[in-house]
Amino acid sequence: MANLKSARIADPLAWLDSLAKPDSLLALAVFAGCVLAAWLMVWLVRRAFHESNLSVLLGNKLIDGALFPALLWGLTFGARAFLAQEHTVALFDILLPVCTSLALIRLGVKVLQVAFGQAAFVRMLERTISWLAWVAVVLWVSGILPLLLEELDQIHWKMGGSSMSVRTLIEGALTAGAVLIVTLWVSSALESRLLRSATGSDLSLRKVISNTVRVLLMFVGLLLALSSVGIDLTALSVLGGAVGVGIGFGLQKLAANYVSGFVILAERSMRIGDSVKVDNFEGRITDIKARYTVIRSPTGRESIVPNELLITQRVENLSLTDPKVWQSTVVSVAYNSPVDEVMDMLKQACVEQPRVLSDPAPSVALSAFGADGLEFTVIYWIQDPENGQLNLKSDINRVILSRFQARGIEIPYPQRVIHSVGAPR
């Protein structure tokens, strides 16, 4: 705290006179060396690490991330402490707060970009953080900020057993914002590392871990923010009871969906990538949220299904224990067709398709003696239903039709016999 207090300019005229001394040139040269050293260290780190979970620290460019201003701040702080033993360091009284503000701005901006992507409100939050940080630096260096905080502390009131003031509210809001940024950073990095190269059941289990950690971090951050404001946390017991009553009555559906989401992720009865059929809607699970699950059909339509529905109703999981899916097509030929040759041609048409599995192998059966001809059922298995099922069936039918036409095997048209009864004489 003493270092921060010394960074304020108590006497502006005396501070300006100290800048004219030769020691200021030395301080400026040392700061330039700090900038070069921080740049070199970031360059070495970027060569050694290229992982996406370091995007907050490294950024997209050499000095775009939060690592460069953080290193610059540390080097500047160390240089100031070293030079203060034998030289005047008036220039560092403004350089150190500027480096601090720059580090905070880059950290907040990069975390928001990683957590929310290209959302419209991110740009507004970035500008807000920048303006607040630079205004705070100017007020602190000029010595106005401590006086302003003391005045704001005089505006206070009683709230229950605690005393609140405008200063404590501002400090609490800043603490909550800082905790939120750190929470988003930690949870995003953890989720990125957990979900990397994870598939099937591992993906679902790691996702529930990341969601749980994020909720716990947000809860701890909320408690810290309330404590910084001066609110007695024991008073939250009444709030907790009220929330419990609300969940029991008005929020029971919402609570059921959240609990069902964690149950689905924990027991792994449905996983991201599974092909399921729910309420006559069939598709592939693309994401499992805490409250709902997203199912995408082969036609591109997406269904948002509440998690409670997946727990309380019957769900067909086509790839729970085995991702293989059974398909079939029915073909009719004339009664005078060679049965054995037809069966070989049908089976060969399936075997030639690369998506058709060889184990279990395709099979053909003479399934019925139809009214117009012999009916054959072709059965085959695939392992990638997410790539489409109708397109594969169409390819097989086209090959069968081409082979039949080349061999002269007839696919009969429907035949009906009409008996005409003459008029009585």
Side-chain angles (χ1 to χ4, degrees):
M1 198 65 181
N3 293 328
L4 290 176
K5 290 181 179 179
S6 62
R8 287 180 290 174
I9 303 174
D11 189 352
L13 295 177
W15 181 80
L16 290 175
D17 291 338
S18 64
L19 290 180
K21 297 180 179 180
D23 291 340
S24 297
L25 295 178
L26 176 62
L28 187 61
V30 171
F31 179 73
C34 294
V35 173
L36 181 60
W39 183 88
L40 181 60
M41 294 172 68
V42 173
W43 181 76
L44 293 175
V45 172
R46 289 184 67 89
R47 286 179 60 88
F49 300 96
H50 299 281
E51 301 180 9
S52 59
N53 60 333
L54 295 178
S55 59
V56 173
L57 294 176
L58 299 181
N60 299 324
K61 300 179 181 178
L62 193 60
I63 59 174
D64 182 54
L67 183 60
F68 175 77
L71 290 175
L72 181 59
W73 179 87
L75 294 173
T76 304
F77 186 84
R80 178 181 180 277
F82 178 77
L83 292 178
Q85 300 176 2
E86 299 180 359
H87 303 274
T88 57
V89 289
L91 186 62
F92 283 93
D93 291 342
I94 189 171
L95 292 178
L96 191 60
V98 168
C99 293
T100 304
S101 178
L102 183 60
L104 294 176
I105 291 173
R106 296 313 305 164
L107 177 61
V109 168
K110 299 307 295 183
V111 170
L112 291 175
Q113 290 177 353
V114 171
F116 300 105
Q118 300 297 326
F121 62 89
V122 172
R123 186 61 180 171
M124 181 187 66
L125 290 178
E126 293 176 2
R127 293 178 179 177
T128 302
I129 293 175
S130 300
W131 276 103
L132 289 177
W134 290 122
V135 169
V137 167
V138 173
L139 294 178
W140 176 263
V141 171
S142 62
I144 299 177
L145 184 59
L147 298 177
L148 181 61
L149 292 178
E150 292 178 2
E151 292 297 327
L152 293 177
D153 198 29
Q154 301 301 319
I155 307 175
H156 56 84
W157 60 89
K158 296 288 291 184
M159 181 178 291
S162 303
S163 178
M164 304 289 295
S165 67
V166 177
R167 176 176 179 175
T168 56
L169 290 179
I170 295 177
E171 291 177 349
L174 293 177
T175 303
V179 170
L180 177 61
I181 290 177
V182 174
T183 300
L184 291 175
W185 184 14
V186 174
S187 60
S188 298
L190 180 63
E191 184 175 3
S192 176
R193 181 169 291 275
L194 286 176
L195 301 186
R196 185 188 309 147
S197 68
T199 57
S201 59
D202 290 339
L203 179 61
S204 299
L205 181 59
R206 294 183 182 187
K207 192 169 182 64
V208 69
I209 294 176
S210 64
N211 288 344
T212 304
V213 171
R214 175 171 293 187
V215 171
L216 290 177
L217 289 176
M218 295 291 288
F219 179 71
V220 173
L222 177 62
L223 294 182
L224 292 176
L226 292 176
S227 298
S228 63
V229 175
I231 296 178
D232 187 7
L233 297 182
T234 57
L236 295 179
S237 58
V238 179
L239 179 62
V243 172
V245 173
I247 291 177
F249 290 96
L251 302 178
Q252 57 181 350
K253 285 292 183 181
L254 183 62
N257 285 322
Y258 276 100
V259 173
S260 299
F262 282 102
V263 169
I264 291 172
L265 290 170
E267 69 180 9
R268 291 175 285 179
S269 58
M270 280 167 282
R271 302 155 299 186
I272 296 176
D274 284 354
S275 297
V276 298
K277 185 176 182 180
V278 183
D279 196 20
N280 294 326
F281 187 89
E282 184 174 349
R284 178 173 172 266
I285 297 178
T286 58
D287 198 4
I288 301 178
K289 300 290 188 180
R291 187 182 64 83
Y292 61 88
T293 297
V294 180
I295 302 177
R296 182 180 179 86
S297 70
T299 60
R301 294 190 306 160
E302 290 185 330
S303 177
I304 299 177
V305 183
N307 289 328
E308 184 189 12
L309 187 66
L310 301 178
I311 293 294
T312 59
Q313 292 195 8
R314 177 176 175 267
V315 179
E316 295 183 24
N317 193 331
L318 306 180
S319 54
L320 176 60
T321 58
D322 192 344
K324 294 190 289 291
V325 175
W326 177 90
Q327 275 193 304
S328 67
T329 183
V330 179
V331 180
S332 296
V333 299
Y335 272 100
N336 58 354
S337 302
V339 174
D340 293 337
E341 184 177 353
V342 168
M343 296 180 67
D344 291 339
M345 294 173 65
L346 295 176
K347 185 175 181 179
Q348 190 63 27
C350 295
V351 172
E352 293 176 356
Q353 298 296 323
R355 292 180 55 194
V356 175
L357 299 178
S358 57
D359 183 21
S363 61
V364 181
L366 178 58
S367 54
F369 297 97
D372 304 312
L374 300 174
E375 293 184 0
F376 293 87
T377 301
V378 185
I379 300 172
Y380 56 92
W381 294 80
I382 62 174
Q383 198 168 8
D384 55 347
E386 66 275 4
N387 293 329
Q389 303 181 40
L390 185 60
N391 55 354
L392 177 60
K393 189 173 184 178
S394 173
D395 293 340
I396 294 176
N397 287 336
R398 289 172 58 190
V399 173
I400 293 173
L401 180 61
S402 176
R403 301 280 174 82
F404 281 1
Q405 291 175 347
R407 182 62 180 79
I409 297 177
E410 177 187 357
I411 297 179
Y413 293 100
Q415 299 180 11
R416 298 293 181 266
V417 178
I418 300 177
H419 295 277
S420 179
V421 181
R425 297 179 181 179

